[in-house]
Amino acid sequence: MVIVLKADRNLEKTAALKKRLRERGFELHESKGETSRLIGLVGDTSVLDIDDLLAIDDVVEDVKRIQEPYKKANRKINPENTVIEVAGTKIGDGNFQVIAGPCSVETEEQITEVANDVKASGAHLLRGGAFKPRTSPYSFQGLESDGLKLLLAAKKNTGLPIVTEIMTPEHLDLFEDVDMVQVGARNMQNFQLLKALGKIDKPVLLKRGLANTLEELVMSAEYIMAGGNDKVILCERGIRTFETSMRNTLDISAVPMLKKMTHLPVIIDPSHAAGIRWMVEPLAMAAIAVGADGLMIEVHNDPENALCDGAQSLRPEQFDKLMKKIEGAVEFFGKTMN
Amino acid sequence: MVIVLKADRNLEKTAALKKRLRERGFELHESKGETSRLIGLVGDTSVLDIDDLLAIDDVVEDVKRIQEPYKKANRKINPENTVIEVAGTKIGDGNFQVIAGPCSVETEEQITEVANDVKASGAHLLRGGAFKPRTSPYSFQGLESDGLKLLLAAKKNTGLPIVTEIMTPEHLDLFEDVDMVQVGARNMQNFQLLKALGKIDKPVLLKRGLANTLEELVMSAEYIMAGGNDKVILCERGIRTFETSMRNTLDISAVPMLKKMTHLPVIIDPSHAAGIRWMVEPLAMAAIAVGADGLMIEVHNDPENALCDGAQSLRPEQFDKLMKKIEGAVEFFGKTMN
Amino acid sequence: MVIVLKADRNLEKTAALKKRLRERGFELHESKGETSRLIGLVGDTSVLDIDDLLAIDDVVEDVKRIQEPYKKANRKINPENTVIEVAGTKIGDGNFQVIAGPCSVETEEQITEVANDVKASGAHLLRGGAFKPRTSPYSFQGLESDGLKLLLAAKKNTGLPIVTEIMTPEHLDLFEDVDMVQVGARNMQNFQLLKALGKIDKPVLLKRGLANTLEELVMSAEYIMAGGNDKVILCERGIRTFETSMRNTLDISAVPMLKKMTHLPVIIDPSHAAGIRWMVEPLAMAAIAVGADGLMIEVHNDPENALCDGAQSLRPEQFDKLMKKIEGAVEFFGKTMN
Amino acid sequence: MVIVLKADRNLEKTAALKKRLRERGFELHESKGETSRLIGLVGDTSVLDIDDLLAIDDVVEDVKRIQEPYKKANRKINPENTVIEVAGTKIGDGNFQVIAGPCSVETEEQITEVANDVKASGAHLLRGGAFKPRTSPYSFQGLESDGLKLLLAAKKNTGLPIVTEIMTPEHLDLFEDVDMVQVGARNMQNFQLLKALGKIDKPVLLKRGLANTLEELVMSAEYIMAGGNDKVILCERGIRTFETSMRNTLDISAVPMLKKMTHLPVIIDPSHAAGIRWMVEPLAMAAIAVGADGLMIEVHNDPENALCDGAQSLRPEQFDKLMKKIEGAVEFFGKTMN
């Protein structure tokens, strides 16, 4: 961390700041310029908040962070790729997986049919929403605990591990038999939820928020890991920009950048990224090519009557064709789907 | 709502869609063009989700919403300005209020001193964070329930009503004696929390998310109001853009636009918007000039040692000077402060 | 186009508006709702400006465009993929090309060496900047006309067609022997330049602006095409978002979306998108996988001493290795590099 | 400037870099940490490009700029507020001016009538577009040189100095009698145009680009100033964000921030910022309150039939009422309009 001091700084307060930093165990390296004066701080600066230093505004002009503020998720500290196992299915370090299923669980028939279809097509994990975050209070909010039961029944019938979204720590008990818990984009910085998930022994699929930086995504993973749960998979699902022709803008570069920053697996959700059915295939191909460890794809047996996100859901026969292309591309780019 | 049909649409499915819409009680007005064909939908379209219609993609090319998707918050339905009372202090419709206090409650001395100071300067409500949403798990997370107790003690000592942030529905019991519950930017779409707040009889200060549209902010207010709690105050606190010289970009136009969309009071938080102490004054003046109903300002007795957001906190003597300017400007622009 | 009328509109002005629209040849289809009233407009609405209608604000509440405002670039009007020939090298409709070379032409040795290297590695077109748009007046501005001469010499020596950026219509004469003229991101809406390029008979590589929508990009292509020059290639090179870990955010979805909107070839510039050398390869792979018609890649024989954009330039040996991967991926995804 | 070296850097290249920097006259201050190593660079770093240093990627991990890259525009170098005179009308350092007129010059009657109206209402400068940058080639492009002639006639008749937009350096001769030349948002980084304007002796009104940072805006001013023309006025006119209810998002904080960064006058264009007539007044009030040095407001005698931007243009009687409020607010906030 580098602290830039003001040219006309209060000397007494400057001395006090230096003393305080030394007392907290930092080594100080100073360098003087004509128009600026820098202090290089050596030590574990992840405990320092830039804003706290900026608050001393008759001394400090600016603060630049040099070291990353994350530790457990940092690839520098743990250089090997992490592999996450979800009920025996490996994700990461060459193991590529497809998570498929409907936006929301609607009926027993629907989830069973879709589960059987995606399994037959080669998906290894089943997704399905029971608790749904919707912008409008007048939209379908999910079947809630009944939806979870239907999803667990589909798991029993097909043997597919299940992934579903949690919206509040109060619901954790209900998720006992869920194989991987998903944190949605709108809850990426629901810190009470992240803290609760740090205390369970279950993989967490953490989606990037609509307008969150990659560093913030990693810091949210760090919340879970700092609590004791190392099993975090990151998911890019499109960010919000000025472009209006698609629901979101898929930040494909997030994959290589997150892999440089962290050792965690990174998957892509092309369905939410574009919000348009016909765009799922090209984005899925791009995701594999760029190095993602998996895909999360919405599939619905009757998208025209889906209670949510039908516009971006593939029909089972479309998904089946796509899976053949995915298998080919995954192999071409050197990963395995087992 | 206008549905644009595809030129090469499936005629059978088109007929089915029309039938379904008529059965749901909508009146259909069709108009044909050479290259497009429109259906105008008449009825309460707030129950329709655009994406559900887009899902029928061998019929529907595009859907444009004409009516607003919100009802209880809509000024068209309730044209008069709403006044919210917080423990007897009125906000809205000409009543301007200043909420002041530290980012977080740290010690009894700190919160008591700041509370007395801001009261002496003319603030009508006291803010102070007990539960703090922080990007890093290694940053100070607030004193939590102990912080709430200190805040309630400060309320007792000064008589100032208090405003503090809630982060999860599980904490609601702790907030019984809090006068106004704040929903922070990161929780604007924490729908479980919004639903819980819809069931209490207490004013809610709802902050706009970092990258949420004004319509989404109003929809979140609608969640609370649909649950039965009409006492919602909206707060603009800066949005996330590409600009890096300030922490956030204050969207000053949000005030007149929200007042056109809704009948709810709208306040501005210039401290979080800029994240820089010296910018609080000009932004506060702009907020009054543009028509806001109040301000939320961070004040700390020792910002250099604040545990959070010191960089944007005013010292009590700075706040005192600012209050004199605020009083003048509020009067000049035709509002009253108590 | 749909015009939403106000509930309390001025009836006389409404009648005048309808009369005026009918006189301009539009057919009007009206539909009444309880809270809104719509007019569907049938005819060539690309000549209408939404803002002109909104200006009649005691009549018009809102205007929604249904038809695209572009014609010559519109795939609906010209469904076949356009192929652009640059000095005999075909781009589009299955023909994939790599444009490679340095950010800026620096010396004869440099451009000759890089040109020979990229040719040997299989690139079909040579890029190199002579006129450089730089944020700072104190940065290197390019060798200007001398740079163009060196680039033309490299063309003569290697036989590679050349692509270089034009910054102002005044320079057009200098570009007579250039094979493809590039319009940079900052000039995407330099309309005087676009008009001038509409009058020449030479392919134009049009880069998307940092914060321009895809529709605006297509409208800028339409400027060139409306002037009489149909040879436009679109280029996505990253957009500006809130993310700071990369120079820009590559909008990979732009490729399939632009191909749906238009019939023009679309290429990707992964070097500018990321601004980081090690990210060029994964983004290039993603570009091929998503369906792009080509790549524009920066290569420099001595990036550490490059006068511009060295951080994102590949060394010739890195480019050579990348070309082998590109060739494999292009074949895998069913295109040819001839 | 601080250079962060890689832990596993190439030692030979590191020595070469240090040597090169010392040869260019920089003083180097090094500080070692456990996981990082910094070099503080002392000297005029505005001549260094961060990307050039990042290019040496087996040595350099990151580069942080400490000093601003602008000099002539920098308030640290020139602490006094600059006053710009436009044909005798002073702008800046307490002198507040209103520039008013139509988006585009349409007819002699129109511009004469509007000019007389805005003069009568107290405006000190007349705006009017002759060359119009329009997104669509099918929209009205301005009367071009004929428009300029009409504007000059209006200047003669009313005595008001005129401000109008230039789109390309080729047109400079036509602007000889124009009092202040405007650079529009889309041309903020048209560097050939900025260079040409650096050589004339005439005030330049430089508008911020839709997605340009404040530092980039100041760097564009620096282009003009580095060429020898110190008469630059900065204009904030709204930026592009994800918000869709307004045409642009007015960045009101830009005023105090630009005034901290530079000594140049800063004005606001509320008409383009919101794109909606009824929002001009509250934004104008906010602009005055926040400390702007002037306003640019669109006025049209018949906005419903305006050839451009009618939706945001005030009618003369609306402008007249607004001017009375502006006068009051300018006086209240301690500036003079004379």
Side-chain angles (χ1 to χ4, degrees):
Chain A
M1 189 172 268
V2 177
I3 302 174
V4 186
L5 301 179
K6 289 199 162 165
D8 58 343
R9 65 192 166 282
N10 178 314
L11 293 178
E12 205 176 319
K13 288 193 178 175
T14 308
L17 171 63
K18 287 187 198 172
K19 186 158 173 285
R20 195 146 45 105
L21 289 168
R22 284 204 187 90
E23 283 167 6
R24 291 186 66 175
F26 294 101
E27 217 179 296
L28 274 59
H29 293 263
E30 304 187 45
S31 70
K32 292 177 200 178
E34 271 160 74
T35 56
S36 67
R37 190 183 172 113
L38 312 178
I39 300 178
L41 229 57
V42 178
D44 177 12
T45 54
S46 69
V47 303
L48 287 180
D49 199 294
I50 285 181
D51 290 327
D52 296 348
L53 292 164
L54 287 173
I56 315 171
D57 67 354
D58 42 9
V59 174
V60 175
E61 178 161 318
D62 206 353
V63 180
K64 309 270 179 185
R65 195 178 278 285
I66 305 296
Q67 269 184 317
E68 299 82 9
Y70 43 92
K71 292 186 268 197
K72 294 187 170 259
N74 198 334
R75 186 177 283 274
K76 284 187 186 158
I77 281 157
N78 185 356
E80 299 303 313
N81 290 326
T82 286
V83 177
I84 308 279
E85 276 201 47
V86 184
T89 302
K90 289 181 181 172
I91 303 181
D93 198 34
N95 301 285
F96 188 98
Q97 300 300 345
V98 177
I99 306 167
C103 171
S104 59
V105 179
E106 297 169 17
T107 63
E108 194 177 344
E109 294 70 34
Q110 175 241 19
I111 189 66
T112 308
E113 190 179 326
V114 176
N116 283 321
D117 283 342
V118 302
K119 190 187 180 185
S121 299
H124 283 85
L125 297 108
L126 176 67
R127 62 153 289 157
F131 297 92
K132 299 298 306 171
R134 303 299 299 269
T135 305
S136 168
Y138 308 122
S139 296
F140 173 60
Q141 307 278 319
L143 295 183
E144 309 195 336
S145 54
D146 289 342
L148 268 186
K149 281 175 207 154
L150 296 179
L151 197 60
L152 289 167
K155 172 187 174 177
K156 209 174 167 185
N157 291 335
T158 57
L160 290 177
I162 58 172
V163 187
T164 192
E165 180 167 355
I166 190 165
M167 286 177 67
T168 185
E170 291 166 298
H171 292 165
L172 252 183
D173 288 349
L174 299 170
F175 281 67
E176 205 178 320
D177 297 322
V178 168
D179 300 287
M180 177 152 64
V181 180
Q182 176 182 321
V183 177
R186 280 165 192 77
N187 279 313
M188 192 201 92
Q189 292 194 318
N190 182 336
F191 299 115
Q192 298 291 330
L193 180 59
L194 299 178
K195 284 179 189 174
L197 295 174
K199 291 179 196 138
I200 64 171
D201 182 28
K202 207 187 270 295
V204 177
L205 180 64
L206 179 63
K207 288 193 151 190
R208 180 182 185 186
L210 274 77
N212 286 107
T213 62
L214 296 176
E215 187 174 291
E216 285 171 343
L217 171 58
V218 177
M219 290 309 290
S220 287
E222 189 82 12
Y223 256 96
I224 299 169
M225 297 171 87
N229 183 357
D230 280 339
K231 299 173 186 159
V232 182
I233 297 177
L234 306 174
C235 180
E236 159 66 27
R237 42 76 74 207
I239 56 172
R240 182 164 276 184
T241 68
F242 56 83
E243 176 61 41
T244 54
S245 66
M246 295 161 284
R247 187 190 282 189
N248 298 294
T249 297
L250 178 64
D251 180 4
I252 196 87
S253 317
V255 177
M257 185 53 87
L258 285 171
K259 287 185 162 286
K260 185 166 203 286
M261 295 163 79
T262 87
H263 49 86
L264 301 171
V266 183
I267 71 167
I268 276 189
D269 175 347
S271 304
H272 279 87
I276 319 171
R277 191 179 300 147
W278 63 262
M279 209 185 263
V280 172
E281 179 180 319
L283 297 188
M285 292 299 116
I288 298 166
V290 91
D293 298 301
L295 286 165
M296 188 168 206
I297 295 176
E298 291 201 0
V299 181
H300 197 286
N301 55 343
D302 184 13
E304 297 171 14
N305 291 305
L307 293 177
C308 135
D309 279 352
Q312 70 200 34
S313 296
L314 298 183
R315 296 183 180 87
E317 62 275 17
Q318 293 173 319
F319 177 68
D320 193 63
K321 279 186 199 157
L322 177 58
M323 276 301 281
K324 293 194 176 36
K325 294 193 179 173
I326 288 173
E327 282 160 16
V330 165
E331 195 191 334
F332 179 80
F333 285 103
K335 294 199 171 156
T336 52
M337 284 185 71
N338 71 313
Chain B
M1 190 173 269
V2 177
I3 302 174
V4 186
L5 301 179
K6 287 202 164 162
D8 59 344
R9 65 193 167 281
N10 178 313
L11 294 178
E12 206 177 319
K13 288 194 178 175
T14 308
L17 171 63
K18 286 186 196 171
K19 187 159 171 284
R20 196 147 45 104
L21 290 168
R22 284 204 187 90
E23 282 167 7
R24 292 185 67 174
F26 293 102
E27 216 180 298
L28 272 60
H29 293 264
E30 303 187 45
S31 70
K32 293 176 200 179
E34 272 161 72
T35 55
S36 67
R37 189 184 172 113
L38 312 178
I39 301 179
L41 229 57
V42 178
D44 178 11
T45 54
S46 70
V47 302
L48 288 180
D49 198 294
I50 285 181
D51 290 328
D52 297 346
L53 291 165
L54 287 172
I56 315 172
D57 66 354
D58 41 10
V59 174
V60 175
E61 180 161 317
D62 205 355
V63 180
K64 309 272 178 183
R65 196 178 276 286
I66 304 296
Q67 268 185 317
E68 298 83 8
Y70 43 93
K71 292 186 267 196
K72 292 186 172 260
N74 198 333
R75 187 177 282 275
K76 285 188 186 159
I77 282 158
N78 185 356
E80 299 302 313
N81 290 325
T82 286
V83 178
I84 308 279
E85 275 202 47
V86 185
T89 302
K90 290 180 182 174
I91 303 182
D93 198 36
N95 300 285
F96 189 98
Q97 300 300 347
V98 177
I99 306 167
C103 170
S104 58
V105 179
E106 296 169 17
T107 63
E108 194 176 345
E109 294 68 36
Q110 174 241 19
I111 189 66
T112 309
E113 191 179 326
V114 176
N116 283 319
D117 283 342
V118 301
K119 189 186 181 186
S121 298
H124 283 84
L125 296 108
L126 175 67
R127 63 153 287 154
F131 297 92
K132 297 299 305 171
R134 302 299 299 268
T135 304
S136 168
Y138 309 121
S139 294
F140 173 60
Q141 307 279 319
L143 295 182
E144 309 196 337
S145 53
D146 288 343
L148 269 186
K149 282 175 206 153
L150 296 179
L151 196 60
L152 289 166
K155 171 187 174 176
K156 209 173 165 187
N157 291 336
T158 57
L160 288 177
I162 57 173
V163 187
T164 191
E165 179 168 355
I166 190 165
M167 285 177 67
T168 186
E170 290 166 299
H171 292 164
L172 253 183
D173 287 350
L174 299 170
F175 281 67
E176 206 178 319
D177 297 322
V178 169
D179 300 286
M180 177 150 66
V181 179
Q182 177 181 322
V183 177
R186 282 164 191 77
N187 280 312
M188 192 202 92
Q189 292 194 317
N190 183 337
F191 299 115
Q192 297 291 330
L193 181 58
L194 298 179
K195 284 179 189 173
L197 295 174
K199 292 180 195 135
I200 64 171
D201 181 28
K202 207 185 269 295
V204 176
L205 181 64
L206 179 64
K207 287 193 154 190
R208 180 183 185 183
L210 274 77
N212 286 107
T213 62
L214 296 177
E215 188 175 290
E216 286 171 342
L217 172 58
V218 177
M219 290 310 289
S220 287
E222 189 82 11
Y223 256 96
I224 301 169
M225 296 171 88
N229 183 357
D230 281 339
K231 298 173 187 158
V232 182
I233 296 177
L234 306 174
C235 179
E236 158 67 25
R237 42 75 76 208
I239 57 172
R240 181 164 277 184
T241 68
F242 56 84
E243 176 60 40
T244 55
S245 66
M246 295 162 283
R247 188 191 281 190
N248 298 294
T249 298
L250 178 64
D251 179 5
I252 197 89
S253 317
V255 177
M257 185 54 86
L258 286 171
K259 287 185 162 285
K260 186 167 202 287
M261 295 164 78
T262 87
H263 49 86
L264 301 170
V266 183
I267 72 168
I268 276 188
D269 174 347
S271 303
H272 279 88
I276 318 170
R277 190 179 300 147
W278 62 262
M279 208 185 265
V280 171
E281 179 180 320
L283 297 188
M285 292 300 115
I288 299 166
V290 91
D293 298 301
L295 287 164
M296 187 167 207
I297 294 175
E298 291 201 359
V299 180
H300 196 286
N301 55 343
D302 184 13
E304 298 170 15
N305 291 305
L307 293 177
C308 134
D309 280 350
Q312 69 200 35
S313 297
L314 298 183
R315 296 181 181 87
E317 62 275 19
Q318 293 172 318
F319 177 69
D320 193 64
K321 279 187 200 156
L322 176 58
M323 277 300 280
K324 292 193 175 39
K325 293 192 179 173
I326 288 173
E327 282 159 15
V330 166
E331 195 191 336
F332 179 79
F333 285 103
K335 293 197 172 156
T336 54
M337 280 189 74
N338 58 312
Chain C
M1 189 172 269
V2 176
I3 302 174
V4 186
L5 301 179
K6 290 202 160 160
D8 59 343
R9 65 193 168 281
N10 178 315
L11 294 178
E12 204 177 319
K13 287 193 179 176
T14 308
L17 172 62
K18 287 187 198 173
K19 185 158 172 285
R20 195 145 48 105
L21 289 168
R22 285 204 186 90
E23 283 168 7
R24 291 187 67 174
F26 294 101
E27 217 179 297
L28 274 59
H29 293 263
E30 303 186 45
S31 71
K32 292 176 199 179
E34 273 161 73
T35 56
S36 68
R37 191 184 171 113
L38 312 178
I39 301 178
L41 229 57
V42 178
D44 177 11
T45 53
S46 69
V47 302
L48 288 180
D49 200 293
I50 285 181
D51 290 327
D52 296 347
L53 291 164
L54 288 172
I56 315 172
D57 67 355
D58 41 9
V59 174
V60 175
E61 179 161 319
D62 205 354
V63 180
K64 307 272 179 184
R65 194 179 278 286
I66 305 296
Q67 269 185 317
E68 298 83 8
Y70 44 92
K71 293 186 268 195
K72 292 185 172 262
N74 198 333
R75 187 178 280 276
K76 284 188 187 160
I77 282 158
N78 184 357
E80 299 302 313
N81 289 326
T82 286
V83 177
I84 307 279
E85 276 201 47
V86 184
T89 301
K90 288 179 181 173
I91 302 182
D93 198 36
N95 301 284
F96 189 97
Q97 301 300 346
V98 177
I99 306 167
C103 171
S104 59
V105 179
E106 295 169 17
T107 64
E108 194 177 343
E109 294 68 36
Q110 174 242 17
I111 189 67
T112 308
E113 191 179 327
V114 176
N116 283 320
D117 284 341
V118 301
K119 190 187 179 185
S121 299
H124 283 85
L125 296 108
L126 176 66
R127 64 152 288 156
F131 296 92
K132 298 299 306 171
R134 302 299 300 268
T135 305
S136 168
Y138 308 122
S139 296
F140 173 60
Q141 308 278 319
L143 294 183
E144 309 197 334
S145 53
D146 288 342
L148 267 187
K149 281 176 205 152
L150 296 179
L151 195 61
L152 288 167
K155 171 188 174 177
K156 209 173 164 185
N157 290 336
T158 57
L160 289 177
I162 57 172
V163 187
T164 192
E165 179 168 354
I166 191 165
M167 285 176 67
T168 186
E170 290 166 299
H171 291 164
L172 252 183
D173 287 350
L174 298 170
F175 282 66
E176 204 178 320
D177 297 321
V178 169
D179 300 288
M180 179 151 65
V181 180
Q182 177 181 322
V183 177
R186 281 164 191 78
N187 280 312
M188 192 201 91
Q189 292 194 318
N190 182 337
F191 299 115
Q192 297 291 329
L193 181 58
L194 299 178
K195 284 179 188 173
L197 294 175
K199 291 181 195 137
I200 64 170
D201 182 28
K202 208 185 270 293
V204 176
L205 181 64
L206 179 64
K207 288 193 151 190
R208 181 183 185 184
L210 274 78
N212 286 108
T213 63
L214 296 177
E215 187 174 291
E216 286 171 343
L217 173 58
V218 177
M219 291 309 289
S220 286
E222 189 83 11
Y223 256 96
I224 299 169
M225 297 171 88
N229 183 357
D230 281 339
K231 299 173 187 158
V232 181
I233 296 176
L234 305 174
C235 180
E236 159 66 26
R237 43 74 77 208
I239 56 172
R240 181 164 277 184
T241 68
F242 56 83
E243 175 61 40
T244 54
S245 66
M246 296 161 284
R247 188 190 282 189
N248 298 294
T249 298
L250 178 64
D251 179 5
I252 197 88
S253 317
V255 177
M257 185 53 87
L258 285 171
K259 287 186 162 286
K260 186 167 201 287
M261 296 163 79
T262 87
H263 49 86
L264 300 172
V266 183
I267 71 168
I268 276 188
D269 175 346
S271 303
H272 279 87
I276 318 171
R277 191 180 299 149
W278 63 262
M279 209 186 263
V280 172
E281 179 180 318
L283 296 189
M285 292 299 115
I288 298 166
V290 91
D293 299 300
L295 287 165
M296 188 168 205
I297 295 175
E298 291 200 0
V299 181
H300 196 286
N301 55 342
D302 183 13
E304 296 171 14
N305 291 305
L307 294 176
C308 133
D309 280 351
Q312 70 200 34
S313 298
L314 299 183
R315 296 183 182 87
E317 61 276 17
Q318 294 173 316
F319 178 68
D320 193 63
K321 279 186 201 157
L322 176 57
M323 277 301 280
K324 292 192 177 39
K325 294 192 179 173
I326 288 174
E327 281 160 16
V330 166
E331 196 191 335
F332 179 80
F333 285 103
K335 294 198 172 156
T336 53
M337 284 185 72
N338 72 315
Chain D
M1 190 172 269
V2 176
I3 302 175
V4 186
L5 301 179
K6 289 201 161 160
D8 59 345
R9 65 192 167 281
N10 178 313
L11 294 178
E12 204 176 320
K13 287 193 179 176
T14 309
L17 171 63
K18 287 187 196 169
K19 186 160 172 282
R20 195 145 48 104
L21 289 168
R22 285 204 186 91
E23 282 168 7
R24 290 186 67 175
F26 294 101
E27 216 179 297
L28 273 59
H29 293 264
E30 304 186 46
S31 70
K32 292 177 202 180
E34 273 160 73
T35 55
S36 67
R37 189 184 173 113
L38 312 179
I39 301 179
L41 229 57
V42 179
D44 177 11
T45 53
S46 69
V47 303
L48 287 180
D49 199 295
I50 285 181
D51 290 327
D52 296 347
L53 292 164
L54 288 173
I56 314 170
D57 65 356
D58 41 9
V59 173
V60 175
E61 179 160 318
D62 206 354
V63 180
K64 308 271 181 186
R65 195 177 278 286
I66 305 296
Q67 269 185 317
E68 298 84 7
Y70 43 92
K71 292 186 267 195
K72 292 188 172 260
N74 199 333
R75 185 177 284 274
K76 284 187 186 160
I77 282 157
N78 185 357
E80 299 303 313
N81 289 325
T82 286
V83 178
I84 308 280
E85 276 202 45
V86 185
T89 302
K90 289 180 181 172
I91 302 181
D93 197 36
N95 301 285
F96 189 96
Q97 300 300 346
V98 177
I99 306 168
C103 170
S104 58
V105 178
E106 296 169 18
T107 63
E108 194 176 343
E109 295 68 35
Q110 173 241 20
I111 189 66
T112 308
E113 191 178 326
V114 176
N116 282 320
D117 283 343
V118 301
K119 189 185 180 186
S121 298
H124 282 85
L125 297 108
L126 175 67
R127 62 153 288 156
F131 297 93
K132 297 300 305 173
R134 303 300 297 270
T135 304
S136 168
Y138 309 121
S139 296
F140 174 60
Q141 307 279 318
L143 295 183
E144 309 196 335
S145 54
D146 288 343
L148 270 186
K149 280 176 207 153
L150 297 179
L151 197 60
L152 289 167
K155 171 187 173 176
K156 208 172 166 185
N157 291 336
T158 58
L160 289 177
I162 57 173
V163 186
T164 191
E165 180 169 352
I166 190 164
M167 285 176 66
T168 186
E170 290 166 299
H171 292 165
L172 253 182
D173 287 350
L174 299 170
F175 281 66
E176 206 179 319
D177 297 323
V178 168
D179 301 287
M180 178 150 65
V181 180
Q182 177 181 322
V183 177
R186 283 165 190 76
N187 281 312
M188 192 202 92
Q189 292 194 319
N190 182 338
F191 300 114
Q192 297 291 330
L193 180 59
L194 298 178
K195 283 179 189 174
L197 295 175
K199 291 180 195 139
I200 63 171
D201 182 28
K202 207 187 270 292
V204 176
L205 181 64
L206 179 64
K207 288 192 152 192
R208 181 183 185 185
L210 273 78
N212 287 107
T213 61
L214 296 177
E215 187 174 291
E216 286 171 342
L217 172 58
V218 177
M219 290 309 290
S220 286
E222 189 82 12
Y223 256 96
I224 300 169
M225 297 171 88
N229 183 357
D230 281 339
K231 298 173 188 159
V232 182
I233 297 176
L234 305 174
C235 180
E236 159 66 26
R237 43 76 74 206
I239 57 172
R240 182 165 277 184
T241 68
F242 56 84
E243 175 61 41
T244 54
S245 65
M246 296 162 283
R247 188 191 280 188
N248 299 292
T249 297
L250 179 64
D251 179 5
I252 196 89
S253 317
V255 176
M257 185 54 85
L258 285 171
K259 287 185 163 286
K260 185 166 202 288
M261 296 164 78
T262 87
H263 49 87
L264 300 172
V266 183
I267 71 167
I268 276 189
D269 175 347
S271 303
H272 279 88
I276 318 171
R277 191 179 300 146
W278 62 262
M279 209 183 264
V280 172
E281 179 179 320
L283 297 188
M285 292 300 115
I288 298 166
V290 92
D293 298 300
L295 287 165
M296 188 168 206
I297 294 175
E298 290 200 2
V299 180
H300 197 286
N301 55 342
D302 183 13
E304 297 171 14
N305 291 304
L307 294 176
C308 134
D309 280 351
Q312 69 201 35
S313 296
L314 298 183
R315 296 183 181 87
E317 62 275 19
Q318 292 173 318
F319 178 68
D320 193 63
K321 280 186 198 157
L322 176 57
M323 277 299 282
K324 292 193 175 39
K325 293 192 179 174
I326 289 173
E327 282 160 16
V330 166
E331 195 191 335
F332 179 79
F333 285 103
K335 293 198 173 156
T336 53
M337 284 185 71
N338 67 316

